[in-house]
Amino acid sequence: MIKMKQEKSKTTLSKMWHDKKGKAILKLGIWFLFFIIMAFVMMITSIFSKPITNKENEISKDPEITEFLNIDKMWDTLIISNYKYNYQIKEKSTMDTIIYQGKINNNINTGYKESKLGIIKYRIEENHIYQILVDKEEEITNLYDIEDQEYLILSSILEKLKMLQPTETKNGTMRSLTYLWNEVTIVVNTTLSSISQIRIDTPQKEYNLSFMIDSENNNETTK
């Protein structure tokens, strides 16, 4: 009985194959079966190729549970640390820019001042400012404009901020503390552990102060 059914099926398929319309139906069926098999294979492959996630890592990357150091500790660290800096001052009316770029190492500040008047190399040590020339050093008093000093000396900025209550904004491992002082806006940007930038906006000028703490030299000096 089974053999008769198999022979009948073969006969039917054979007839369809030799018939134009039947042959088209058979080809369509073969392609349909092929696509079903391919879809099944791709589904199995995607299941086994999914990366295994580490739940502990996912938790540690959650910005909601990251902890920032106290801002007072960050100020203390910055003031006593060795660090590289880049200060940019932009005059709003003329768009003139002054750049101070250098480093502080063991309380000695060395760097370059770039303005429309040219570039000078300087050194600040024990409250004395020296211009470094080719064969000598000369003490100078005009490295900073008088109106800029209170926004370029960290202790001066900190004194202002101690009297103010900031608005805090967090974004992952970055934090911004915004202080309003008369017509001046001061924004202190931090990472989880240190102050990275201070932006000061006054009616006349914009100050952009960036810091990069030299952790290697700091470790050496604390040994």
Side-chain angles (χ1 to χ4, degrees):
M1 188 75 176
I2 293 170
K3 282 185 178 181
M4 288 178 64
K5 285 184 178 179
Q6 288 176 345
E7 288 175 4
K8 190 174 181 182
S9 298
K10 287 180 182 178
T11 305
T12 304
L13 289 172
S14 178
K15 285 181 179 179
M16 289 180 70
W17 186 256
H18 289 90
D19 178 64
K20 272 190 178 182
K21 189 175 179 181
K23 192 172 186 179
I25 292 171
L26 285 175
K27 282 185 176 182
L28 186 63
I30 291 169
W31 278 110
F32 182 71
L33 184 63
F34 171 76
F35 284 120
I36 289 177
I37 293 170
M38 288 299 295
F40 180 74
V41 170
M42 289 176 70
M43 183 179 70
I44 295 297
T45 303
S46 67
I47 290 172
F48 284 100
S49 64
K50 271 187 178 178
I52 298 171
T53 57
N54 188 327
K55 289 186 178 179
E56 290 183 3
N57 287 342
E58 288 177 358
I59 291 172
S60 66
K61 290 178 182 177
D62 187 351
E64 301 226 344
I65 63 168
T66 55
E67 293 186 6
F68 292 86
L69 284 182
N70 182 281
I71 187 62
D72 293 334
K73 289 183 179 179
M74 290 188 180
W75 273 106
D76 291 342
T77 300
L78 180 61
I79 287 172
I80 66 170
S81 291
N82 298 324
Y83 59 86
K84 295 177 182 177
Y85 63 84
N86 184 297
Y87 299 166
Q88 294 189 23
I89 306 167
K90 184 182 289 184
E91 179 79 46
K92 290 184 178 179
S93 60
T94 62
M95 300 305 288
D96 288 340
T97 300
I98 299 175
I99 298 173
Y100 298 90
Q101 188 168 6
K103 63 180 179 180
I104 293 179
N105 191 15
N106 296 329
N107 295 318
I108 300 173
N109 181 348
T110 55
Y112 294 88
K113 175 185 177 181
E114 180 181 346
S115 68
K116 62 182 180 182
L117 299 177
I119 299 174
I120 68 167
K121 186 177 181 180
Y122 60 84
R123 176 172 63 85
I124 305 174
E125 186 175 359
E126 296 180 351
N127 295 322
H128 293 278
I129 304 173
Y130 304 92
Q131 181 176 351
I132 301 173
L133 303 171
V134 176
D135 56 353
K136 62 179 180 177
E137 293 185 358
E138 290 182 355
E139 189 165 0
I140 58 175
T141 57
N142 60 348
L143 181 65
Y144 304 129
D145 290 347
I146 294 174
E147 63 198 66
D148 295 336
Q149 288 187 27
E150 61 179 328
Y151 301 119
L152 296 179
I153 298 172
L154 295 183
S155 57
S156 178
I157 298 172
L158 182 56
E159 282 302 311
K160 291 181 180 60
L161 300 187
K162 282 180 177 179
M163 301 182 292
L164 305 172
Q165 186 65 34
T167 300
E168 185 179 63
T169 304
K170 293 180 181 178
N171 183 14
T173 58
M174 302 301 293
R175 172 177 63 175
S176 293
L177 300 169
T178 302
Y179 303 80
L180 300 178
W181 179 64
N182 296 331
E183 294 181 294
V184 177
T185 301
I186 302 174
V187 180
V188 180
N189 294 324
T190 82
T191 62
L192 289 175
S193 58
S194 63
I195 295 171
S196 58
Q197 184 185 51
I198 299 173
R199 290 186 292 111
I200 303 169
D201 186 28
T202 75
Q204 294 79 30
K205 295 184 179 183
E206 293 177 358
Y207 301 82
N208 192 334
L209 284 54
S210 299
F211 311 92
M212 187 172 69
I213 292 179
D214 189 347
S215 56
E216 186 175 337
N217 278 337
N218 286 323
N219 289 337
E220 288 177 2
T221 55
T222 54
K223 284 180 182 178

